[in-house]
Amino acid sequence: MKSDQLSWLGLCGLLSVTTLQAKEPATKMLSEGHPPNVVLILTDDLGYGDLNCYGATRYLTPNLDKLAAGGVRFTNFYVSQAVCSASRAALLTGCYSTRIGIGGALFPSSTIGLNPQEETIPEILKKKGYKSGIFGKWHLGYQRKFLPLQQGFDEYLGLPYSNDMWKYNLDGSVATPEQNKNKASYPPLPLIEGNDMIKEIKTMDDQATLTTRYTQRAVLFIDKHKNEPFFLYVPHSMPHVPIAASSKFKGKSDQGLYGDVVMEIDWSVGQIMDAIEKNGLAKNTLVIFASDNGPWINYGNHAGSAGGFREGKGTSWEGGQRVPCIMKWPGHIPDGIVCNKIAAMMDILPTLAHIAGAPLPKLKIDGINIISLLKGDLNANPREVFLYYYNSNCLEAVRKNQWKLVFPHRSQTYEGYLPGNDGIAGKTGNIQVETALFDLRRDPGERYDVKELYPEVVAELSKIADEARADLGDGIRNIKGANVREPGRMEVPEPK
Ligand code: MG
């Protein structure tokens, strides 16, 4: 073990959790050596039940299961919103996405993006000498000023938004306006290197190369930066539809193409772990794996599993918001622990800032340092409250510990609709949801409304919601939050 790791461990043993949460001691702790590398792997639309260690049964995910066995597996880990752009905005800034004006998913026609004024994880870590690379899907604005190299990353290869934002039908033909007006209007789906398109993704064979392309670049990045601290972000395009696996995995699972695609992601994790090991970096690298939102259930056999939670992507039910999350950091996170406490995407930034000894962003953030959970402190509960926002800024529910209070809102629903298959979407419904209180300890499936039985809990959670509305706003009640910020905007729309 290197001396910097020993000093880190030794000091951690002496300091209380409270002290650890302060900013300064972390800087001192790491003054003798370089702070740990961080590898953050994100999947797109992978459900809570899609890994073996979370209940998947018809294919194998040995590398992710090994990651969990050597670290912490979270069971109550939340995304900021159950949709791509909003989820990623929260991850990279440590803010509820509604605070920074990014709601839902951005499209090729969007003229907004992640405001360059917001400080991102790579910008925070750069202050401590980190080099950062992103190999995968960005989805926080496709115009140059919003792309990764302008938001703190040193290297970028990937797609600027979702892999279904292209003009092709599943049979490879170009969509006509009569078939799909949106699709027909999409520009070529670019594979971007740095700031420039190097290739158009035009076919399903092209889609099938994405997981391997990202993986190869991730491995090269580790090799290249092994002697300095790095932040490697691998946001896979898969298993977002249209799903595709390379010949290495096509036909390998007992769950059709979806299983093949998840197996390839698992392989990718194994390749990255091998590169870390080969370069002697295992003890000084924190690896995080998570998903951006729950499964897109109306895609049937091309969708994942919410693992028994209610509904999926595009809803504030647990199936949309709760995702698998695993973190491994040998010598710091105990082996094989399960964390049942609430944690969220926004918490990653302040936790990494603490670990690296980097200052927090100057503007207000929502993330909480969860280093105590990583270190296996069973009594710690750094995040008691989680706010379920959807759309631009609609507060649909609030959770405190085991209780979740749902507010009246319109919700997409998958219930009662036959899903599509083989890449074709099935119909979904839209329902009015009324006030309900769920005890997520007894009823994780959100089936039994107990608001009449626990009026004092309803009152307590309502008060938390009112405070949130004043701070962050609530589109359902037409309340503008006092502390929300604008997204980045294009001054002049770029010509199409
Ligand atoms: Mg997604």
Side-chain angles (χ1 to χ4, degrees):
M1 189 178 281
K2 291 178 191 167
S3 61
D4 59 313
Q5 290 153 0
L6 277 170
S7 65
W8 205 97
L9 276 172
L11 278 160
C12 285
L14 294 171
L15 294 166
S16 70
V17 169
T18 314
T19 314
L20 277 169
Q21 284 174 340
K23 270 185 283 174
E24 279 206 0
T27 315
K28 283 178 190 161
M29 271 191 283
L30 296 160
S31 59
E32 290 173 31
H34 86 58
N37 309 304
V38 179
V39 176
L40 175 48
I41 303 166
L42 191 73
T43 50
D44 198 344
D45 297 2
L46 183 89
Y48 185 88
D50 280 341
L51 307 180
N52 290 168
C53 56
Y54 283 90
T57 55
R58 302 196 62 200
Y59 50 82
L60 298 176
T61 55
N63 292 301
L64 282 155
D65 300 340
K66 194 173 157 193
L67 200 68
V72 54
R73 183 175 69 84
F74 288 86
T75 62
N76 283 256
F77 192 88
Y78 287 97
V79 298
S80 168
Q81 283 192 22
V83 60
C84 298
S85 298
S87 177
R88 285 147 212 273
L91 167 62
L92 287 180
T93 64
C95 296
Y96 279 111
S97 41
T98 196
R99 184 176 301 290
I100 55 172
I102 302 286
L106 301 180
F107 284 84
S109 57
S110 299
T111 55
I112 65 165
L114 178 63
N115 194 325
Q117 301 291 322
E118 300 293 341
E119 290 180 79
T120 62
I121 290 175
E123 285 168 336
I124 293 290
L125 295 180
K126 198 179 287 269
K127 293 173 183 167
K128 301 306 288 185
Y130 281 67
K131 288 282 189 290
S132 295
I134 162 175
F135 307 109
K137 166 178 157 174
W138 173 240
H139 216 174
L140 291 170
Y142 76 92
Q143 293 94 343
R144 187 185 175 99
K145 70 184 266 193
F146 301 129
L147 285 176
L149 296 197
Q150 286 66 251
Q151 307 265 20
F153 287 96
D154 301 295
E155 292 184 35
Y156 171 44
L157 174 87
L159 305 187
Y161 35 69
S162 294
N163 61 324
D164 65 341
M165 293 174 181
W166 66 344
K167 57 173 71 189
Y168 299 100
N169 296 311
L170 281 172
D171 64 3
S173 62
V174 175
T176 63
E178 293 72 35
Q179 288 170 322
N180 189 323
K181 208 171 147 198
N182 282 342
K183 246 182 188 308
S185 71
Y186 288 154
L189 176 60
L191 180 69
I192 294 176
E193 168 83 55
N195 285 313
D196 302 309
M197 171 168 153
I198 54 166
K199 176 184 167 56
E200 181 188 356
I201 301 298
K202 297 169 82 157
T203 66
M204 289 310 296
D205 284 346
D206 290 339
Q207 296 264 5
T209 67
L210 292 174
T211 301
T212 297
R213 277 180 198 274
Y214 301 158
T215 306
Q216 288 169 340
R217 285 298 295 270
V219 167
L220 280 175
F221 183 86
I222 293 168
D223 290 344
K224 184 174 159 190
H225 296 287
K226 63 186 174 191
N227 293 323
E228 59 192 335
F230 62 77
F231 171 57
L232 168 61
Y233 177 40
V234 187
H236 284 288
S237 292
M238 299 290 147
H240 191 294
V241 292
I243 56 172
S246 74
S247 56
K248 295 191 290 296
F249 289 92
K250 209 165 176 183
K252 292 291 195 298
S253 86
D254 292 333
Q255 197 181 308
L257 187 56
Y258 188 85
D260 302 343
V261 165
V262 180
M263 285 176 71
E264 187 157 21
I265 289 169
D266 182 77
W267 163 83
S268 171
V269 171
Q271 295 290 302
I272 289 169
M273 296 310 290
D274 285 351
I276 292 168
E277 189 70 41
K278 188 190 78 187
N279 284 301
L281 305 174
K283 288 235 156 54
N284 200 31
T285 302
L286 166 61
V287 179
I288 303 172
F289 177 92
S291 183
D292 72 332
N293 51 251
W296 210 351
I297 292 173
N298 56 320
Y299 278 91
N301 65 357
H302 281 196
S305 162
F309 292 128
R310 185 168 172 175
E311 300 282 6
K313 174 179 179 175
T315 77
S316 55
W317 302 106
E318 296 296 296
Q321 298 257 182
R322 223 193 283 197
V323 294
C325 178
I326 300 167
M327 300 191 194
K328 179 176 173 174
W329 189 17
H332 302 274
I333 300 175
D335 285 357
I337 58 171
V338 175
C339 179
N340 294 326
K341 300 288 172 52
I342 300 173
M345 281 292 187
M346 300 82 76
D347 301 337
I348 291 177
L349 181 144
T351 305
L352 296 185
H354 166 78
I355 287 168
L360 290 171
K362 289 183 191 70
L363 298 172
K364 180 175 184 177
I365 67 166
D366 300 288
I368 296 168
N369 179 0
I370 57 167
I371 189 72
S372 54
L373 300 181
L374 271 59
K375 297 184 74 61
D377 180 350
L378 300 176
N379 297 314
N381 191 14
R383 170 178 287 287
E384 291 188 328
V385 170
F386 180 78
L387 308 171
Y388 299 73
Y389 273 94
Y390 196 63
N391 291 320
S392 56
N393 69 333
C394 295
L395 184 60
E396 297 187 349
V398 58
R399 176 174 177 182
K400 183 176 182 190
N401 294 326
Q402 82 217 59
W403 301 103
K404 179 175 179 180
L405 181 63
V406 176
F407 303 110
H409 67 275
R410 299 293 301 179
S411 176
Q412 183 184 23
T413 184
Y414 300 101
E415 283 188 23
Y417 293 89
L418 193 65
N421 273 319
D422 300 332
I424 307 289
K427 284 198 171 118
T428 60
N430 195 282
I431 55 168
Q432 176 64 30
V433 175
E434 300 301 341
T435 303
L437 179 70
F438 298 106
D439 178 349
L440 294 177
R441 183 195 64 77
R442 189 172 72 101
D443 176 27
E446 302 172 277
R447 294 291 166 188
Y448 310 108
D449 174 17
V450 294
K451 67 175 178 296
E452 305 296 339
L453 306 178
Y454 300 96
E456 73 285 1
V457 177
V458 173
E460 185 188 359
L461 269 64
S462 297
K463 187 163 174 284
I464 292 168
D466 284 339
E467 288 164 6
R469 290 180 183 113
D471 180 24
L472 287 162
D474 183 1
I476 297 171
R477 301 188 180 197
N478 285 321
I479 298 171
K480 182 154 169 53
N483 302 304
V484 292
R485 307 193 284 267
E486 288 288 307
R489 296 185 193 281
M490 288 302 296
E491 292 82 8
V492 181
E494 290 190 343
K496 293 278 165 67

